[in-house]
Amino acid sequence: MKRWTAIASLCCLALLPLALAADAGELTQTERWYEQAMNGQKSGYFQVVWAPSTWEGKKTVHDTTRVFTSTVRNMIGQMDRFTTTTQVDLERAQDGTLWHQRLQVEEAGRVQFEELTWTGAGYDHVAGIVGEKQIEKHIPVGEPVKVDAESYLGHLHRAGKLETGQAYDLRLLNVRAERVDVQKLEIVGMESVTDETGEKIECVRVLQTDPRTKSTSTMWLDKDGAFVLIRDDAGHVIQRVTKSKAQAMPTKPAEMRITTPEMPQVERVFSADRQFIDLHVQG
């Protein structure tokens, strides 16, 4: 999921996919809405708009994703609310090849951005806070990477080329580590899931695995190659819904606890040079 967890970081876009409903030559501007939840609590929603475009003379799909999240951080009973607005604009090929992408995150009046551009020998990366110094670097890559699993497999599903048991390698750019990470995609089979109208539709189920972290996510693609549902092993869920349902945020925002009860109780230390704790975790 990163792009959808990811949408907070340009280098990890596997959890937040951007949908494509038709091949670039047939595509007209299309809009879809999704809601996202963590551990059963709705944390936000996003709007996806895509349209035919061009970039550096190439026929592309232009994706715009706008994300709104509202959560509360609970630290020993101290509640802090965080509201974030994120926008991602990118140009990609119909097979998910990433040519250009800009991400902008606004929180508490501060605007942070990241931008990637394919140069022919890798990606130029620019990041910073608006109004402050920006950091630039070049990430050498032999060939362009993909945006995410959805855009990579969507055109294959529309063409009827996905079959149960097939495996694919998904090349994603890890900006922080300045490398290409390869994740594994497995076509599990066909299943019925509920779409935004409340109807059951047939979708292809795709399992995505990160060999480095062993984390997994499952995505269901409809006949147009657009995802309807994503679930990951960290408790995140992204579901396609109507616009009104997406924008209906709960009165009580999703709560994230950043401390956990301990036994025996550990004294809270607010001023110390160092503190040593032996931590034993039982699975």
Side-chain angles (χ1 to χ4, degrees):
M1 261 177 103
K2 228 172 297 135
R3 189 187 301 213
W4 306 123
T5 309
I7 210 126
S9 174
L10 192 58
C11 67
C12 299
L13 295 176
L15 291 182
L16 281 186
L18 300 178
L20 173 63
D23 290 346
E26 307 168 357
L27 185 65
T28 58
Q29 183 165 309
T30 308
E31 177 186 69
R32 282 196 171 106
W33 292 81
Y34 297 84
E35 64 179 6
Q36 55 186 355
M38 57 181 191
N39 299 320
Q41 303 178 87
K42 183 172 181 177
S43 57
Y45 63 87
F46 56 93
Q47 172 198 30
V48 178
V49 179
W50 59 94
S53 182
T54 58
W55 183 84
E56 299 288 323
K58 300 178 178 66
K59 183 180 291 187
T60 62
V61 176
H62 183 93
D63 283 309
T64 300
T65 298
R66 300 179 181 91
V67 184
F68 173 83
T69 60
S70 180
T71 59
V72 166
R73 183 185 66 183
N74 182 345
M75 184 174 69
I76 324 175
Q78 176 66 43
M79 303 293 192
D80 294 308
R81 186 163 184 166
F82 294 87
T83 299
T84 304
T85 303
T86 303
Q87 178 162 324
V88 180
D89 284 279
L90 64 83
E91 300 285 349
R92 62 173 174 82
Q94 66 166 311
D95 67 352
T97 299
L98 176 62
W99 301 121
H100 178 263
Q101 180 170 268
R102 180 179 175 86
L103 176 148
Q104 182 169 294
V105 180
E106 182 174 355
E107 183 179 67
R110 189 176 75 164
V111 180
Q112 183 178 354
F113 73 93
E114 294 191 42
E115 190 165 1
L116 280 173
T117 305
W118 173 251
T119 66
Y123 288 91
D124 283 342
H125 178 259
V126 182
I129 298 172
V130 174
E132 300 183 14
K133 183 179 179 180
Q134 62 187 33
I135 300 174
E136 302 180 6
K137 65 181 177 182
H138 178 74
I139 305 171
V141 176
E143 59 183 283
V145 297
K146 303 301 183 182
V147 172
D148 54 30
E150 180 198 40
S151 58
Y152 179 35
L153 296 180
H155 76 292
L156 296 175
H157 186 41
R158 291 191 299 278
K161 295 181 178 180
L162 295 185
E163 298 180 1
T164 300
Q166 287 179 330
Y168 295 85
D169 286 341
L170 175 64
R171 300 175 64 254
L172 299 173
L173 187 64
N174 186 326
V175 173
R176 306 296 175 242
E178 299 186 25
R179 66 171 185 249
V180 173
D181 288 340
V182 179
Q183 299 197 3
K184 301 297 182 181
L185 302 177
E186 178 188 350
I187 310 304
V188 179
M190 300 296 295
E191 291 185 0
S192 295
V193 297
T194 304
D195 69 4
E196 65 272 33
T197 69
E199 298 294 326
K200 289 285 188 179
I201 61 173
E202 284 296 301
C203 294
V204 63
R205 178 175 176 174
V206 180
L207 177 65
Q208 180 171 340
T209 303
D210 185 337
R212 288 179 177 270
T213 65
K214 308 304 180 184
S215 61
T216 63
S217 64
T218 303
M219 174 177 62
W220 287 263
L221 292 174
D222 67 13
K223 61 181 178 60
D224 294 322
F227 88 93
V228 178
L229 176 66
I230 292 177
R231 296 180 182 274
D232 74 7
D233 57 5
H236 298 96
V237 178
I238 303 172
Q239 172 78 54
R240 196 162 77 202
V241 296
T242 62
K243 177 180 178 180
S244 59
K245 190 173 188 302
Q247 293 181 322
M249 292 293 292
T251 303
K252 181 181 179 181
E255 181 181 320
M256 298 181 296
R257 294 182 179 271
I258 62 174
T259 58
T260 185
E262 72 284 336
M263 185 62 67
Q265 187 173 6
V266 177
E267 180 183 357
R268 305 297 177 184
V269 178
F270 295 93
S271 177
D273 292 330
R274 65 181 60 184
Q275 181 181 25
F276 297 96
I277 298 175
D278 287 328
L279 177 64
H280 301 272
V281 179
Q282 181 175 347

